[in-house]
């Protein structure tokens, strides 16, 4: 166990959490126990206050930026969040993993040296997975804590933009995972997370006059409108447009059926697993435990730490 289990133990003692399963596994020479916990609902004081159906405001658009991992902005044009770069271990992960796997192939088959090189490579992979998961949860947490309504760029559209500054480890599967984490965290907090449709031209549209211009080459960092002359950071402009889309289409997005891929969390994180055991106290909050993993090295699909 790596993380402090005090909170979990307190919740179990007071009957606000119940251990359902424990899985023991060994990965890259490290033993871990993953505990699946049924926990109480988040305390209302830590949830976003409910909004009436007629209220269409408060949306924050989250764009997978070209020069940043994410850029978030609201309908007034204010940038509310910008996560510039992945942590250093992630950025340097790929060259390091390539080097380590070269080491493996250079060693003689069946040799002790090779076994050691294989173990080193395995540990490096595990470390990258842990750093990555931790980072994505941190980013998601930051967004869902302060904003109850998030609209994300479509996964497919986001995938079209390759951000070369970020390690592939984070930029490829990163956005989909981030969207999934945001989705269930937001449900847990009583907020909303939706994704804009694929066809919505968030990058090409002017956030000032709503004119849709030609596609922007990847080299263009500043959006400039031919119609009204408005200029803005490319990513901020797109994030504003996402927020505006959500505000306009708010009525349709109330139906969970049309919420899009953001809410399609994996089964472990899905609403069916939502804890129903009373309520947490305000100091239980902070991390979302539909499943609480208290270990290092849980499989990517399995635990949520
Ligand atoms: Zn314009």
């Amino acid at each position: 166990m790596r993380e402090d289990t005090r909170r979990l133990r307190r919740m179990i003692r007071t009957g606000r959490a119940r251990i359902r399963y424990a899985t023991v596994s060994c990965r890259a020479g490290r033993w871990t126990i993953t505990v699946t916990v049924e926990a109480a609902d988040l305390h209302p004081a830590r949830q976003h206050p409910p909004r009436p159906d007629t209220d269409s405001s408060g949306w924050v658009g989250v764009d997978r930026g070209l020069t940043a991992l994410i850029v978030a902005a609201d309908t007034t044009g204010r940038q509310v969040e910008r996560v510039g770069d992945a942590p250093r271990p992630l950025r340097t992960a790929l060259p390091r993993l390539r080097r380590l796997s070269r080491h493996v192939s250079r060693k003689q088959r069946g040799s002790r040296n090779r076994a050691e090189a294989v173990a080193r490579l395995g540990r490096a992979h595990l470390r990258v997975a842990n750093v990555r998961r931790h980072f994505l949860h941190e980013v998601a947490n930051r967004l869902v804590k302060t904003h109850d309504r998030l609209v994300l760029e479509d996964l497919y559209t986001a995938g079209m933009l390759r951000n070369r500054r970020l390690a592939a480890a984070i930029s490829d599967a990163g956005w989909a995972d981030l969207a999934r984490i945001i989705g269930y965290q937001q449900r847990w907090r009583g907020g909303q997370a939706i994704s804009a449709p694929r066809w919505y031209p968030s990058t090409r549209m002017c956030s000032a006059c709503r004119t849709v211009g030609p596609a922007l080459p990847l080299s263009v960092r500043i959006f400039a409108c031919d119609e009204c002359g408005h200029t803005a950071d490319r990513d901020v402009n797109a994030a504003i447009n996402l927020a505006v889309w959500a505000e306009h289409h708010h009525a349709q997005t109330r139906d969970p059926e049309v919420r899009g891929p953001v809410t399609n969390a994996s089964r472990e994180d899905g609403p069916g697993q939502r804890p129903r055991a009373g309520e947490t106290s305000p100091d239980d909050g902070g991390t979302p435990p539909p499943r609480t993993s208290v270990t290092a090295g849980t499989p990517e699909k399995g635990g949520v730490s």
Side-chain angles (χ1 to χ4, degrees):
M1 294 207 179
R2 187 177 62 174
E3 282 170 25
D4 187 8
T5 56
R6 200 178 318 160
R7 186 165 71 103
L8 177 62
R9 281 182 279 134
R10 187 181 59 228
M11 287 178 71
I12 289 172
R13 203 167 46 236
T14 53
R16 297 195 307 274
R18 200 155 58 92
I19 293 180
R20 303 291 305 272
Y21 321 96
T23 311
V24 181
S25 57
C26 181
R27 254 178 98 202
R30 276 179 143 189
W31 290 93
T32 58
I33 299 178
T34 307
V35 187
T36 303
V37 180
E38 187 178 292
D41 271 341
L42 191 62
H43 191 277
R46 281 186 167 264
Q47 289 194 19
H48 294 300
R51 288 176 185 266
D53 277 355
T54 46
D55 179 3
S56 64
S57 67
W59 287 99
V60 164
V62 183
D63 179 68
R64 179 181 176 176
L66 189 62
T67 58
L69 177 70
I70 60 145
V71 173
D74 62 19
T75 52
T76 69
R78 194 170 57 96
Q79 175 185 304
V80 295
E81 205 78 59
R82 177 182 280 264
V83 178
D85 220 339
R88 196 175 158 76
L90 281 183
R91 281 179 286 134
T92 55
L94 280 191
R96 185 174 147 73
L97 291 176
R98 265 198 296 269
R99 203 175 60 242
L100 287 173
S101 81
R102 258 200 321 270
H103 288 177
V104 170
S105 55
R106 277 204 211 108
K107 311 285 187 229
Q108 204 183 344
R109 253 170 219 287
S111 71
R112 192 181 159 157
N113 275 344
R114 189 184 172 100
E116 272 167 18
V118 167
R120 257 199 306 278
L121 178 63
R123 281 196 299 271
H125 270 294
L126 187 63
R127 179 169 147 72
V128 169
N130 286 338
V131 173
R132 180 176 173 281
R133 190 175 46 226
H134 183 80
F135 173 61
L136 290 178
H137 273 95
E138 218 175 68
V139 172
N141 247 320
R142 211 144 95 195
L143 285 167
V144 300
K145 264 188 182 164
T146 17
H147 312 292
D148 65 334
R149 284 180 159 173
L150 295 171
V151 48
L152 275 69
E153 190 182 6
D154 177 78
L155 298 179
Y156 177 80
T157 320
M160 301 299 286
L161 276 187
R162 283 298 171 98
N163 186 336
R164 290 175 209 289
R165 275 182 64 221
L166 299 167
I170 193 84
S171 54
D172 288 350
W175 183 256
D177 283 346
L178 185 66
R180 185 180 60 81
I181 298 168
I182 286 174
Y184 75 72
Q185 287 202 2
Q186 204 61 300
R187 262 200 312 277
W188 201 55
R189 288 183 178 272
Q192 278 174 282
I194 61 171
S195 67
R198 189 169 295 185
W199 46 261
Y200 183 63
S202 54
T203 310
R204 294 191 289 133
M205 189 185 284
C206 171
S207 57
C209 74
R210 320 238 61 81
T211 306
V212 177
L216 264 67
L218 292 185
S219 57
V220 176
R221 299 286 164 86
I222 302 291
F223 176 91
C225 179
D226 290 338
E227 200 63 31
C228 73
H230 172 74
T231 59
D233 174 273
R234 171 199 182 115
D235 300 332
V236 175
N237 182 65
I240 298 168
N241 286 332
L242 290 170
V244 169
W245 177 87
E247 192 175 280
H248 287 171
H249 296 80
H250 159 80
Q252 288 101 298
T253 59
R254 276 205 312 266
D255 179 358
E257 292 300 308
V258 293
R259 274 184 180 185
V262 168
T263 55
N264 290 342
S266 71
R267 206 182 324 157
E268 298 97 283
D269 301 322
Q273 305 288 315
R274 223 182 132 148
R276 297 260 175 241
E279 268 177 0
T280 62
S281 76
D283 48 324
D284 288 334
T287 43
R291 284 179 49 129
T292 299
S293 155
V294 289
T295 71
T298 52
E300 273 297 84
K301 273 205 119 112
V304 172
S305 53

